[in-house]
Structures are given as C-alpha cells and as structure tokens.
Amino acid sequence: MSFSTTKTTRDTRRHIHTMNRRWNIIATVALVIVAAVACAKAPQEDVDGAKAEMEKARQAQAETFAANEYQAADQAMSAADAEIQAQNAKWIKNYDKAKELLAKAKEEAAKAATTAVANKEQAKKDAEAAIAAADTALQTAEGNLKVAPMTKDSRADLALFKSDLETYKGTLEQARQAFASEDYKKALESANSVKEKATSIADQLEEAKKKRSGARPRA
Amino acid sequence: MAEGVARAPNQCAAAQSILVRAEAETRVQSRRSALRRDYDQAARLALEARLAAETCAFQAGAARARTRERARKALADLSTALPRAASLSRHVGDSDVAEDLVQAEIALGEGKVAFERSQFERAEDAAERGRARLAQAVSDINRLFDTYATSPRRADWRRWVKDTLRDSARTGEPVILVDKLRRELLLYRGRDELAAYPVDLGIGGLNSKIRAGDDATPEGRYRITEVRGPTQTHYYRALMLDYPNADDVARFRRLKRSGRVARGDDVGSLIEIHGHGGRKRDWTKGCVALDNDDMDSLVPRVRVGTRVTIVGTIPEEVLP
C-alpha cells in the first residue's frame, strides 16, 4: 500500500511537471506570436514601390490621358494609406490587406502610365491631322473667296466671309501654339472648329457659284 | 506576337524577356538531379511571361483599333476635301496642280483598298500622302490666284472694264465682260448686271494669247463682228470677235522684234464666243465657249458691234 501511494504521488508530480512544461511552451510561443504581430512594421517597401509607380503615371500625364486608370490607382493608394493608418493605431497590427491594396495601386498606376503614353501619342497624331486638315480647308475657302462671283448683292457677304476667314486663321494659329505646348485636346478642338467653319464657307461660296450659273438672266 | 511587337513594343519586349528567363531557369533545373530539381521559379516566370504577353496582345489590339480609326478619318477627310480642291483647280488649269490632285486621288484609292484589306497602317500612310499632295495643290492654287491680284496687267484690266462699263452707261447698249480667272461671262448694261454665264476657255488656260496656235484666250477690248446661227458654225452658235485688234497686232510685232516669238509665227485669228461649252474644263483653241442653252440666252441680247472685254480677272473695285 505504501509502495502504491508513493508511486501515485510520483506519477502525479511527473504529470504536473509535464503539464507545466507544455503551458510554458504554449505561453512562450503565444508571447512570440503576439510580440511578432504587435511589433509588425508598416510595409514601407511596398509603399515606396506603389508611390514610385504613381509618380511615373503622373510623369506620363495619366491624370489627363488615362483619367480612369489613374483614378483607380489613386483610389487604391488612398485605401492602402487609410488601411496602414488604421493598423498603425491598433495594438495587434496586420498589414496584409494594406499590402494587397498597395499591389493593386502599383498595378493600376503602371497600367495608367502605359495607357497615358499610348493615348497621348494618339491625341498628338489626332491633333496633328486636324491642324493639317483645317489648314487645307482654310486655304480652300480662301481660294473660293478669291474667285467668288462679285455682285452688288454678294459684296457685303464676301466681306464678312473674308473677315471670318481672318478670324479662323488666328484660331488655327492658337491651335498650333496649343499643339506646341502639348495641349493636344485644345489643339484638336480648335482645329476641328476651324475646319468645320472654313468648309462651311467654302460650301456656301460653291453653292452661290452654282446658283448663279443656273440662274436665268434678268430682263 | 510579331504584329503585337510592332504595335506595342514595350509590353512585348517585356514578355519576351521574361520568357527567355523562364526558359533559362527551366534548363538550369533540368540539369539538376531529380532530388534537387525545383521548377517553381520557372513556373512563376512562365506565368509572368504569359501575363505580359496577354498585356502585349491587349495593347496591340488597342493600337490597331486606334490606327484603324485614324485611317478611317483621314480617308474620309481626303474624300470630302478632294472634290472641293478639284473644283477650285478649274480656275487655274495648271499642270502641276492637276498632277498633285491626280496623285492625291490615286493615294486615296490606294488607301481605300488597303483599308478594305485591313491594312490600316498602309491606309493611313496613303491618306497622309494624299493629304500632302492635296495641301500642295491648294497652296499652289492660292499662289496662282494671288499672282492675279498683283499682276502688272491689272491696271490695264481695270481701265478696260471701267471704260467698257462707262461706254455702256453712256449708250445704253449691253456689253460683255469675260473674267478668265472666274471662268465667267457677264452681260452688263451700264451699272446693271443682266446675266452671268460659266465659260470654258482655251487649253492655254489663264495665259494671254500671243500668237496663232498657243491655244490661249486673248485679253483685250473687242467687238462682235458677226453673229452666226446653227447652220453657220460647228459650235451651235457663234459671236465672231475682231481679234486681232490694233493693240494685239502692235504687241505681236513688238514681241517678234524682240525675238520672243518666232519669225514664222502668226498673230492668229478666228476668236469667237461659241456654244458646245459647259464642259467645266478648258478645251478650246482660244475661244470662249458657253453651254448651248446659255448661247440661246445670250445671242438675242447682243448684236454686231457689241463690246466684248476679256480680262484676266475683273478687279473688284471696278464693278458697280
């Protein structure tokens, strides 16, 4: 009996010892995890990478030439900033979501930069073609004016057309200046407007000529 | 991929570069023993290459769509601008201008064919070539018009028209003015314009007649010497003019003396206003041709002795 009691006590002590050791290990591991999470640092490398891509997009004038893509990148960047701030305020920090948002911002910014380059090139070509077409339309209208039938009735109209064409020449010059300063949108709009109006004058003069040719003489 | 490389070079170069790295990594791993072999990195690179290639394809598609739209617009612009310029070129009859317009027309045709075959870069190039030739033609047309505005003969034209209109106002008789630049015959009585008719001129176009055979329409002050009906001329109806007048003969002699016309040359004759016109091109031997209906309208309003003044262009300040 005495032997049996001693054995039981020894087993109980061993068991308690084993249990304590397990708890110690668990506590240590938990402490390490908590310490690791609580001391997690903001993903600065990811932030820098995303910011660099955003800067590249800005350099490529993405705000103008790839507005939707740039807005998506900007929104992702703002969301990532907000998430980082939120995590910074917590005792236990987790930046996984912030990293995801930063990756998205980086990707969208890269897309915005690429799209902006392509769109800018397209806008440049469009503006260039519009200016050339406007110039030809203006010269054609001027030519029509120089050989327009001159009558008592038409004289005032022709003087007005002449004055209008002078104004359009000025507008076309402004379009050229806008093109030179890479404001392709303004250049395109001005050139298209000049082309449309000059063509309208050329058509009116041509129409007047046809009408005159078809008119029967007055008695 | 080849088409994409041309249209979206940056994206395609990136895809190509990553693919090369993926292939290199695959070779490195395949040389290792089975136990140490790990294709994870190669698989990752291959995936990246695929994504980059997809971006390249997307960008190439977008670039193609942009080129297509540019080509379509350029061809449409050229199509509408060409007839306007061609109509204007009618007033100068210059061979360089005509050549430019023909080349622009050819380029437009080539562009349209290329566009139908989905060769959009070629179509855009052709449209640009056509546009450049068209711009050259229009610029030359304006330059030629401007030479008329500053021509040394302008003083003579002004004086002749002024005298003719003054004479008409004094006598009450109708007079004919021919404006070669505008390709127009005007019938005036005093300060009133009675009628205006489009005309075709000599093949020499805007040149002033100097000698027989130069196919140019003369410039000067003439009178109708004879009115011919349908059975008396090959050209429906005709108003014969007194070309060469004393001024023409004197000028011809001067030019002959100075050696500017050959000794065997003649001053020419048989300049008339006749029918069979309305062709919208210069085709006569120096005469002024009207549409037959217009001849029917004009002939009863004039008679032998009616003054006919032909000028390069009527200075606008002279007209009432």
Side-chain angles (χ1 to χ4, degrees):
Chain A
M1 184 68 189
S2 165
F3 175 77
S4 171
T5 307
T6 309
K7 190 175 178 274
T8 306
T9 308
R10 206 182 300 134
D11 283 350
T12 306
R13 279 185 189 152
R14 195 180 295 141
H15 181 70
I16 289 167
H17 180 72
T18 308
M19 285 293 285
N20 283 344
R21 211 168 57 186
R22 273 186 194 159
W23 277 114
N24 283 344
I25 290 167
I26 288 167
T28 308
V29 166
L31 198 65
V32 166
I33 289 170
V34 166
V37 170
C39 299
K41 285 185 178 170
Q44 196 52 47
E45 203 176 313
D46 300 47
V47 171
D48 292 346
K51 278 185 176 169
E53 285 298 332
M54 289 293 286
E55 185 52 33
K56 274 188 206 166
R58 264 192 292 274
Q59 296 277 333
Q61 294 175 281
E63 284 159 288
T64 308
F65 293 104
N68 291 343
E69 289 82 355
Y70 185 79
Q71 201 183 356
D74 197 42
Q75 279 171 357
M77 195 71 201
S78 299
D81 274 345
E83 176 64 18
I84 290 169
Q85 294 301 322
Q87 293 303 325
N88 285 348
K90 286 181 182 173
W91 189 72
I92 296 176
K93 304 173 190 348
N94 183 348
Y95 291 103
D96 286 354
K97 196 183 168 194
K99 281 181 180 177
E100 266 176 40
L101 288 166
L102 287 167
K104 194 186 172 201
K106 194 175 169 182
E107 189 188 328
E108 292 288 346
K111 204 194 286 179
T114 309
T115 308
V117 169
N119 285 354
K120 189 178 173 184
E121 185 60 22
Q122 169 75 5
K124 186 182 178 184
K125 284 185 177 173
D126 283 348
E128 206 167 20
I131 287 172
D135 191 31
T136 304
L138 199 54
Q139 287 208 47
T140 305
E142 280 189 314
N144 276 299
L145 192 62
K146 286 170 189 166
V147 291
M150 181 71 69
T151 65
K152 271 184 275 189
D153 300 334
S154 71
R155 196 164 288 177
D157 288 339
L158 295 183
L160 270 178
F161 283 148
K162 195 172 182 182
S163 157
D164 285 348
L165 289 178
E166 283 303 316
T167 306
Y168 303 153
K169 268 188 197 173
T171 310
L172 186 58
E173 192 46 45
Q174 284 169 10
R176 286 197 175 103
Q177 283 166 10
F179 183 85
S181 57
E182 296 195 348
D183 189 349
Y184 301 128
K185 197 179 170 197
K186 188 182 171 193
L188 179 74
E189 281 170 3
S190 300
N192 278 342
S193 163
V194 168
K195 187 187 131 193
E196 193 183 310
K197 287 170 178 168
T199 302
S200 164
I201 287 182
D203 286 349
Q204 286 179 64
L205 291 168
E206 190 67 26
E207 193 56 36
K209 203 161 73 180
K210 276 183 195 158
K211 252 186 189 171
R212 183 170 161 87
S213 300
R216 290 295 97 199
R218 293 194 295 270
Chain B
M1 181 81 174
E3 201 178 353
V5 170
R7 293 174 195 273
N10 293 344
Q11 290 74 27
C12 299
Q16 190 74 42
S17 156
I18 299 168
L19 184 62
V20 168
R21 281 167 56 204
E23 284 170 345
E25 177 63 20
T26 307
R27 277 196 298 276
V28 167
Q29 294 302 329
S30 65
R31 280 196 292 268
R32 286 185 168 178
S33 67
L35 289 174
R36 295 183 59 213
R37 206 170 287 158
D38 181 0
Y39 285 108
D40 281 359
Q41 173 71 353
R44 193 181 61 75
L45 287 169
L47 179 66
E48 268 185 47
R50 201 192 83 193
L51 292 173
E54 279 173 3
T55 308
C56 151
F58 174 78
Q59 295 286 353
R64 184 177 161 78
R66 281 195 290 266
T67 309
R68 183 184 190 281
E69 181 55 21
R70 277 201 308 271
R72 187 197 62 74
K73 194 167 179 315
L75 289 170
D77 278 352
L78 187 58
S79 290
T80 53
L82 249 173
R84 288 188 177 91
S87 167
L88 208 53
S89 75
R90 158 100 182 88
H91 294 272
V92 291
D94 180 79
S95 59
D96 288 345
V97 169
E99 174 64 16
D100 276 333
L101 290 175
V102 165
Q103 290 303 325
E105 191 81 53
I106 290 170
L108 175 63
E110 285 173 2
K112 281 180 175 171
V113 169
F115 192 88
E116 279 165 16
R117 290 177 183 169
S118 299
Q119 297 166 342
F120 303 128
E121 272 102 354
R122 250 185 97 186
E124 192 184 11
D125 285 348
E128 173 51 28
R129 214 167 50 242
R131 192 206 58 75
R133 295 304 286 257
L134 175 75
Q136 185 61 53
V138 175
S139 169
D140 285 348
I141 289 169
N142 271 286
R143 190 176 43 75
L144 287 164
F145 286 171
D146 290 341
T147 61
Y148 266 67
T150 55
S151 168
R153 287 179 292 167
R154 201 175 167 89
D156 284 340
W157 300 335
R158 185 186 296 116
R159 185 164 47 82
W160 295 344
V161 173
K162 224 171 172 179
D163 287 352
T164 307
L165 290 174
R166 195 186 298 132
D167 191 49
S168 173
R170 186 173 53 78
T171 62
E173 287 289 318
V175 290
I176 289 173
L177 301 175
V178 176
D179 187 322
K180 287 172 67 178
L181 181 64
R182 291 189 170 89
R183 300 295 196 281
E184 218 175 29
L185 184 151
L186 306 171
L187 186 66
Y188 263 83
R189 182 184 283 119
R191 296 173 64 83
D192 293 327
E193 183 191 293
L194 304 179
Y197 307 100
V199 298
D200 304 334
L201 299 178
I203 298 166
L206 291 174
N207 295 329
S208 183
K209 190 167 192 65
I210 292 173
R211 57 175 176 79
D214 61 10
D215 295 338
T217 302
E219 291 169 14
R221 287 175 291 184
Y222 306 101
R223 286 187 186 270
I224 295 173
T225 55
E226 188 184 348
V227 178
R228 291 185 179 175
T231 57
Q232 298 164 300
T233 173
H234 292 298
Y235 299 104
Y236 184 61
R237 287 175 185 272
L239 304 170
M240 308 303 291
L241 304 185
D242 60 349
Y243 176 88
N245 61 21
D247 288 346
D248 296 322
V249 172
R251 189 181 66 236
F252 179 76
R253 283 183 181 152
R254 233 178 12 251
L255 292 170
K256 206 166 190 178
R257 275 199 301 275
S258 67
R260 286 170 66 190
V261 291
R263 286 183 66 184
D265 279 345
D266 183 70
V267 68
S269 61
L270 290 175
I271 296 296
E272 38 188 293
I273 296 170
H274 59 59
H276 291 181
R279 302 182 191 183
K280 296 186 175 173
R281 61 183 172 82
D282 295 329
W283 58 274
T284 73
K285 294 282 188 186
C287 297
V288 176
L290 273 73
D291 173 64
N292 288 353
D293 288 345
D294 288 341
M295 279 304 285
D296 285 343
S297 164
L298 174 67
V299 169
R301 295 166 173 267
V302 296
R303 60 180 180 83
V304 171
T306 297
R307 290 183 72 155
V308 177
T309 297
I310 305 174
V311 293
T313 189
I314 300 173
E316 57 188 80
E317 65 273 16
V318 187
L319 285 178

